[in-house]
Amino acid sequence: MYKKRREQYLNKIESHSLSLFFSGKAPQRSNDQNYPFSVNRNFFYLTGIDQQNVCLLVAKGEKDAACYLFIEKVDPVKALWDGAGHTFEEAAKIADLELKDIKDITTLDQTISQLLSTSRRALFGSIEQIYLDLERQSNLSEPTIPIQYAQKLKELYPFIQTKTNQMILAELRMVKDQDEIEKVKRALAITQMGLNQIMFTLQPDKYEYQIQAEYNFVLNANRTIPSFDTIAASGKNATVLHYVENKDQIKNGDLILFDLGVEYEHYCSDITRVYPANGKFTKRQKEIYEVVLKANKETIKWLKPGVSVQEFFDYGKNILIEGAKQLGLIKEDAEINKYYYHSLGHYLGLDVHDVGNYSLPIPEGALITIEPGLYIAEEGIGIRIEDDVVVTSKGCINLSKDIIKEVTDIEAFMTSKKNK
């Protein structure tokens, strides 16, 4: 699997090049503590290795190519404190590499120097460029490891051109293989358990954070973590897209919007559901909910490979426009922006908002969210319904179809809990 992904990557890059991918390191939190380590997703995508201070080197000559993994040797003393990392043998097995291609991380600089030389150790001929996983964001608090290494390379080898390989990986990661889909399905199964627990415990007068705690309990019991900050937004709070304080008391008659997910082996789910706090939708709440549900379901039926991202966005938005007119919210199409102010979905995978080339048509094998919504602050109602789907040649497969979203199903579930 990882070997195939590296081969796909090699087919996309130029010859006479090296590529470097770093797993990263946990940032320092205090004098003697670090934040939890989160592996670089492009590195993980190509290796399956979840460990700090590891580097993948991909070399491509005119005719030959090779991949080397640089990793720390197991330190018996360090293992007593922090646990042992992967042995060379274990790393080779996970990454689908030969043992001879696993090297000590301390030899990385020396190996690059040899490959860039004009001696017999320049195994891949003249190297003209080095690809690095360079971040494009300008708001980083400090340079990433790839950016620091790029600066180092420019000083040592000014004749070498450095390039970013982020868009290459973004396009590769747009299409999911079966292993990736299975991991997302597992994340969704845990998400479903968490949402069932929410419905089972939800009631007026509780606080949003108390219901969030019920969800977190299910994740902890399954040794997983949230894929992003959970939104548990009751009443008017649900009209704020990124409300994460989750601090207010839930009132009788409120709807509460839950936007949440699970990270399972680094693959993410992203689901939004809306429930009535007292177990019963009002007539008005149901009318608005059904408009959003129609946009969700009709878009899932319609979406297919080859559709542009903008066409995808517009299709669901047009359904919301017609529904908002029927609800008496708007008269002109442009007025929808008052009640719907986000895109219809995004790619999903190793990141919640996964990488991809959004200028390209949506490809077969894409994993994407479909999440229409209406937010009516003056009525204290915010509704978003989000599912995770795989785009196939025969249409979408809704991976989250078992997470109930019909009004009758939600009310029946929440009524049944009262009888237990």
Side-chain angles (χ1 to χ4, degrees):
M1 174 176 63
Y2 298 111
K3 183 178 180 180
K4 180 181 178 181
R5 293 177 187 173
R6 292 192 294 269
E7 289 171 350
Q8 291 172 332
Y9 172 76
L10 277 163
N11 290 334
K12 295 279 189 180
I13 61 174
E14 296 182 36
S15 300
H16 307 289
S17 69
L18 301 179
S19 299
L20 291 166
F21 296 90
F22 296 91
S23 68
K25 295 181 180 179
Q28 189 169 352
R29 181 179 181 182
S30 63
N31 185 45
D32 60 353
Q33 274 196 319
N34 290 335
Y35 287 100
F37 171 64
S38 183
V39 67
N40 177 276
R41 297 309 195 248
N42 283 336
F43 170 86
F44 182 80
Y45 179 78
L46 295 172
T47 66
I49 300 290
D50 186 2
Q51 183 171 311
Q52 298 190 67
N53 197 28
V54 187
C55 178
L56 173 69
L57 171 61
V58 178
K60 183 177 181 180
E62 188 64 40
K63 296 181 180 179
D64 300 322
C67 298
Y68 306 102
L69 193 71
F70 293 81
I71 193 167
E72 291 179 341
K73 286 186 175 180
V74 173
D75 181 342
V77 176
K78 183 174 179 291
L80 295 174
W81 290 85
D82 302 318
H86 293 305
T87 64
F88 282 20
E89 290 80 7
E90 289 169 341
K93 184 176 181 181
I94 294 169
D96 196 9
L97 286 163
E98 294 185 30
L99 184 58
K100 67 180 179 60
D101 295 325
I102 311 297
K103 302 179 181 295
D104 189 335
I105 188 68
T106 61
T107 67
L108 175 62
D109 291 347
Q110 179 186 359
T111 302
I112 291 174
S113 176
Q114 291 170 352
L115 294 176
L116 294 178
S117 74
T118 54
S119 72
R120 59 188 174 85
R121 293 181 174 179
L123 301 177
F124 302 94
S126 175
I127 299 298
E128 300 169 0
Q129 57 243 326
I130 296 183
Y131 291 92
L132 290 129
D133 190 8
L134 300 175
E135 299 283 353
R136 293 176 183 267
Q137 291 92 333
S138 60
N139 60 347
L140 298 173
S141 58
E142 62 181 54
T144 62
I145 293 174
I147 288 176
Q148 292 178 38
Y149 208 83
Q151 294 168 344
K152 176 180 176 180
L153 289 171
K154 284 183 179 180
E155 292 176 4
L156 293 173
Y157 311 104
F159 56 90
I160 292 292
Q161 181 182 11
T162 56
K163 293 184 175 182
T164 181
N165 50 26
Q166 284 212 331
M167 188 52 73
I168 295 172
L169 268 296
E171 292 183 9
L172 289 175
R173 284 171 53 184
M174 285 169 72
V175 177
K176 302 300 189 283
D177 59 35
Q178 193 57 43
D179 179 76
E180 293 177 291
I181 292 170
E182 290 301 320
K183 287 176 180 176
V184 173
K185 286 169 71 174
R186 180 57 186 154
L188 283 165
I190 300 169
T191 308
Q192 180 181 10
M193 288 188 279
L195 282 167
N196 286 348
Q197 179 69 8
I198 281 173
M199 284 190 287
F200 190 76
T201 56
L202 179 59
Q203 62 186 46
D205 297 331
K206 285 192 173 183
Y207 285 83
E208 294 162 339
Y209 59 80
Q210 291 177 303
I211 307 302
Q212 179 186 1
E214 298 286 348
Y215 177 73
N216 288 342
F217 171 81
V218 173
L219 270 59
N220 290 343
N222 285 275
R223 299 194 67 188
T224 54
I225 60 173
S227 51
F228 57 94
D229 290 339
T230 297
I231 296 171
S234 62
K236 191 175 179 179
N237 292 339
T239 66
V240 179
L241 293 184
H242 291 159
Y243 171 83
V244 292
E245 288 86 353
N246 303 343
K247 62 181 176 55
D248 287 351
Q249 192 171 30
I250 302 165
K251 300 179 181 66
N252 188 30
D254 275 354
L255 294 179
I256 180 163
L257 181 152
F258 296 95
D259 189 345
L260 40 74
V262 166
E263 182 182 314
Y264 178 80
E265 294 186 7
H266 299 306
Y267 281 85
C268 302
S269 64
D270 184 4
I271 294 295
T272 308
R273 291 292 186 265
V274 176
Y275 304 131
N278 60 15
K280 191 77 174 175
F281 289 87
T282 67
K283 182 175 181 293
R284 180 61 171 173
Q285 289 170 347
K286 182 178 177 181
E287 288 173 346
I288 300 166
Y289 187 94
E290 291 291 354
V291 168
V292 178
L293 183 61
K294 180 180 179 181
N296 168 275
K297 291 163 68 174
E298 290 297 319
T299 305
I300 291 173
K301 275 190 212 174
W302 170 84
L303 185 59
K304 56 189 178 295
V307 170
S308 74
V309 172
Q310 191 59 54
E311 288 171 331
F312 164 56
F313 289 169
D314 289 344
Y315 186 86
K317 185 175 183 179
N318 287 334
I319 297 173
L320 292 173
I321 288 171
E322 291 307 309
K325 287 178 180 178
Q326 294 169 10
L327 291 168
L329 291 173
I330 65 173
K331 293 182 179 179
E332 302 296 329
D333 291 5
E335 294 176 296
I336 192 64
N337 295 329
K338 179 181 177 182
Y339 300 106
Y340 171 65
Y341 28 83
H342 58 82
S343 61
L344 194 70
H346 53 80
Y347 291 117
L348 180 70
L350 283 167
D351 291 296
V352 175
H353 291 92
D354 210 17
V355 294
N357 187 341
Y358 281 73
S359 70
L360 295 177
I362 296 171
E364 182 178 350
L367 178 57
I368 198 164
T369 68
I370 296 179
E371 48 180 306
L374 286 174
Y375 311 94
I376 311 168
E378 60 268 28
E379 298 185 41
I381 295 174
I383 295 173
R384 182 166 63 254
I385 304 171
E386 179 179 17
D387 284 294
D388 303 342
V389 308
V390 177
V391 183
T392 77
S393 60
K394 297 180 181 179
C396 285
I397 298 173
N398 185 359
L399 300 183
S400 50
K401 62 181 176 59
D402 292 333
I403 302 176
I404 61 174
K405 60 184 177 182
E406 299 289 340
V407 167
T408 52
D409 292 337
I410 291 170
E411 291 183 340
F413 187 101
M414 297 186 73
T415 299
S416 68
K417 75 178 185 182
K418 296 176 183 178
N419 300 325
K420 292 184 179 180

